[in-house]
Amino acid sequence: MDEDTPLLNRRPASSESTIKNSKLFLAVFSAVLGNFNFGYSLVYSSPVLPVFTSPDADPWLRMDTEHAAWFGSIYSLGAAAGGLGAMLLNDMIGRKLSIMMSAVPSTIGYMLMGGAVDLWMLHVGRFLTGVAGGMTAASIPVYISEISHKGVRGALGSCPQITAVFGALALYALGLVVPWRWLAVAGEVPALVMVVLLVFMPSSPRRLLSLGRQQKAEEALRWLRGSQYDTHIELSAIQHSINTQTKLTLSQLGTPNYYRPIIISVVMRFLQQMTGITPILVYLQSIFDQSKVSLEPRYDAAIVGVVRLFSVAVAASLMDKAGRKALLYTSSMLMFVASLTLTVNSHTTPCPPGPAPPNTTTLGYGLHHDISNTLEASHQSAAGLIPLISTVVFIFGYAMGWGPITWLLMSEVLPLVARGVASGLCVTVSWLTAFMLTHAFTHLVDRYGLFAPYLLFTVVCVLCLLFNAVCIPETRGRSLEEIENYFRTGRSFTINHSYSTAQPS
């Protein structure tokens, strides 16, 4: 590394102007196909559950409330298991191979659901697609953050959420015309395409340098940035970050530069799930059916899918302009207003009509009755739009901030030495929370109606607002090394470059 030291001092800072992003975008696209599959499989239950719970369902596949609760929530349990697996795989075989491995449980799971002749096949298949979802959720954001440069890392960091939303929209759209078995068959395609494309993509330069493969790391970085890019500065900064890291010990976890980013990441993933986004998406069509919305529930679900896609695209365009914290504030406020409206709306019941006034003529009563019916129908039609509009606003708010930024910040703030294990821990906590909340949601609604879960989600949105104000740093425009330095010093993103003259040989 000594021979690179003078280069650090004399290389122009404008070397980023020589970056070509085309191959970087191709690598990111290849990886986030796993998130497309994740979004698709997550909401698979929304159009399928009404089929299994209807009186006309196949007797071998018919579900009662408990079976429906398990079918909706067992995906999250599988995702938690996948997150635990990613904790090991991320450091054992690397981020890229971990993403590719997720295609195995995904394909098997879809085959089981597509050919299901008994309930256990549906539940096992749903669990396995959840395992794949947990693996991709833990690995893809880290892979993207490590191959991206800070100029586009914010926008690319939101790509996992965008493609997950796109996957959900594809499921909602196909669900309008395709039988549930063929929906499962179609889910196998993105995972297989992802594997084929990733074979030709490079591993993370950080991962290669941590293994001591400097030449491979330089080749990977030049492939990602373009043949004219000067790799020396970036490789030297990455190498310094690796050199200053040691094997993680329990004593190190007691220092702020380790426990603070890990706690922030874990709590963000916990709060993200406690907003209720997973049960809302999993049971979306059933929720709309119970809310008596004006349109047919399956079309409402498709509308929500379009809104999610639009809002995440907006967030991606603002990520590196408005900043992470501003979008999180906006997201929290929109979700709070929407969930509060849903809470009040679900708790309000129309008053029963009073008795007919005495001594009215038949004609007068008939006219009064017709007018009352017309006004009541008009009122119900308008009121039927409130759950749809509020749900759209809630999901728009979530997709503007707490959806994509939580994934991005997790990959930005976690220390390099603990990134593989900590990202798996975050995903595991996230999906265990989602499992418990999704399973409880059906029983809460059966006992108390939609009022109880909506009230809980409203309180959580307030906690999200407070947590963002107090605990989350602004990472816009910062390199991963600068973010690490912030937690190390507790006050500054600025790195003291004195190490450039004291590099270990």
Side-chain angles (χ1 to χ4, degrees):
M1 289 298 298
D2 290 330
E3 65 200 44
D4 289 334
T5 300
L7 296 175
L8 283 169
N9 297 325
R10 73 172 186 247
R11 299 281 180 186
S14 61
S15 62
E16 281 196 357
S17 63
T18 63
I19 293 177
K20 295 186 183 301
N21 290 320
S22 56
K23 290 185 177 179
L24 171 62
F25 293 161
L26 177 60
V28 170
F29 171 77
S30 303
V32 296
L33 281 173
N35 283 99
F36 180 94
N37 197 41
F38 159 68
Y40 186 98
S41 58
L42 172 64
V43 300
Y44 178 78
S45 58
S46 178
V48 168
L49 266 178
V51 176
F52 294 146
T53 55
S54 72
D56 299 329
D58 184 334
W60 292 98
L61 301 176
R62 187 179 296 127
M63 296 183 181
D64 56 18
T65 300
E66 184 64 19
H67 285 136
W70 273 105
F71 186 73
S73 61
I74 200 170
Y75 180 92
S76 301
L77 196 60
L84 284 171
M87 290 173 63
L88 302 175
L89 292 176
N90 273 342
D91 290 328
M92 286 176 58
I93 64 176
R95 286 56 157 151
K96 189 183 86 166
L97 287 178
S98 296
I99 298 169
M100 295 173 70
M101 284 287 293
S102 69
V104 176
S106 176
T107 303
I108 296 174
Y110 280 124
M111 290 174 63
L112 282 172
M113 288 193 291
V117 294
D118 206 329
L119 279 177
W120 72 266
M121 297 179 72
L122 290 172
H123 287 100
V124 172
R126 182 110 171 109
F127 177 82
L128 288 175
T129 56
V131 170
M135 292 173 68
T136 56
S139 304
I140 292 176
V142 178
Y143 177 71
I144 292 175
S145 72
E146 292 186 354
I147 65 175
S148 304
H149 56 87
K150 63 183 180 181
V152 296
R153 198 177 64 244
L156 294 182
S158 63
C159 284
Q161 182 70 9
I162 291 176
T163 48
V165 170
F166 215 107
L169 177 58
L171 186 281
Y172 290 140
L174 287 174
L176 298 175
V177 294
V178 177
W180 65 269
R181 290 189 187 274
W182 286 103
L183 283 177
V185 173
E188 298 177 16
V189 177
L192 297 178
V193 175
M194 175 194 72
V195 172
V196 173
L197 289 178
L198 280 177
V199 168
F200 303 100
M201 300 300 118
S203 296
S204 160
R206 293 173 185 274
R207 164 76 178 173
L208 294 171
L209 277 180
S210 68
L211 296 175
R213 303 169 65 181
Q214 285 84 358
Q215 184 176 350
K216 286 287 186 182
E218 183 175 356
E219 292 174 359
L221 193 60
R222 184 165 282 112
W223 189 93
L224 291 164
R225 305 285 188 265
S227 58
Q228 301 302 313
Y229 179 70
D230 178 8
T231 62
H232 290 79
I233 293 178
E234 188 170 351
L235 286 175
S236 297
I238 295 172
Q239 187 65 62
H240 171 74
S241 178
I242 294 172
N243 289 343
T244 55
Q245 300 286 354
T246 57
K247 187 178 177 63
L248 187 64
T249 62
L250 289 177
S251 60
Q252 284 179 312
L253 286 175
T255 58
N257 54 305
Y258 288 101
Y259 73 75
R260 283 184 61 202
I262 292 175
I263 290 176
I264 287 173
S265 299
V266 169
V267 173
M268 280 195 74
R269 295 306 294 260
F270 173 76
L271 289 175
Q272 179 197 47
Q273 291 295 346
M274 287 301 295
T275 60
I277 188 63
T278 299
I280 287 176
L281 293 176
V282 167
Y283 301 122
L284 188 58
Q285 193 164 316
S286 300
I287 289 172
F288 281 145
D289 187 49
Q290 184 164 337
S291 301
K292 308 298 182 186
V293 292
S294 302
L295 300 176
E296 194 173 340
R298 58 178 182 158
Y299 294 114
D300 292 326
I303 291 172
V304 168
V306 173
V307 170
R308 285 185 71 203
L309 183 60
F310 170 75
S311 54
V312 174
V314 171
S317 65
L318 296 176
M319 197 78 70
D320 289 316
K321 297 176 183 177
R324 281 59 156 162
K325 286 180 74 73
L327 288 177
L328 286 172
Y329 280 127
T330 305
S331 175
S332 301
M333 286 303 301
L334 287 174
M335 288 194 297
F336 169 74
V337 171
S339 58
L340 181 61
T341 304
L342 287 167
T343 302
V344 173
N345 182 74
S346 61
H347 190 57
T348 305
T349 54
C351 296
N359 302 323
T360 56
T361 65
T362 303
L363 178 62
Y365 175 75
L367 180 61
H368 177 270
H369 184 70
D370 290 342
I371 293 174
S372 297
N373 283 346
T374 302
L375 291 175
E376 184 179 352
S378 176
H379 173 74
Q380 288 178 348
S381 178
L385 289 175
I386 293 177
L388 174 60
I389 295 173
S390 299
T391 304
V392 164
V393 172
F394 180 89
I395 290 180
F396 180 86
Y398 173 83
M400 277 284 291
W402 279 89
I405 294 178
T406 304
W407 294 50
L408 174 61
L409 273 173
M410 181 188 79
S411 62
E412 286 185 325
V413 305
L414 290 176
L416 179 62
V417 68
R419 191 163 292 155
V421 173
S423 62
L425 173 65
C426 290
V427 172
T428 302
V429 169
S430 173
W431 288 112
L432 283 177
T433 306
F435 166 71
M436 292 184 290
L437 193 61
T438 306
H439 191 78
F441 184 86
T442 302
H443 297 288
L444 282 173
V445 171
D446 277 353
R447 186 166 182 178
Y448 303 107
L450 289 168
F451 169 76
Y454 281 152
L455 179 61
L456 171 64
F457 302 157
T458 304
V459 173
V460 172
C461 290
V462 176
L463 296 179
C464 289
L465 193 66
L466 295 175
F467 187 75
N468 180 43
V470 176
C471 301
I472 298 175
E474 178 57 74
T475 59
R476 177 177 58 128
R478 304 294 183 182
S479 69
L480 298 183
E481 290 71 37
E482 289 173 328
I483 295 170
E484 279 195 20
N485 192 71
Y486 172 84
F487 288 109
R488 185 180 297 113
T489 62
R491 61 183 183 277
S492 175
F493 285 103
T494 305
I495 298 177
N496 183 355
H497 286 286
S498 62
Y499 68 81
S500 62
T501 58
Q503 288 275 3
S505 55

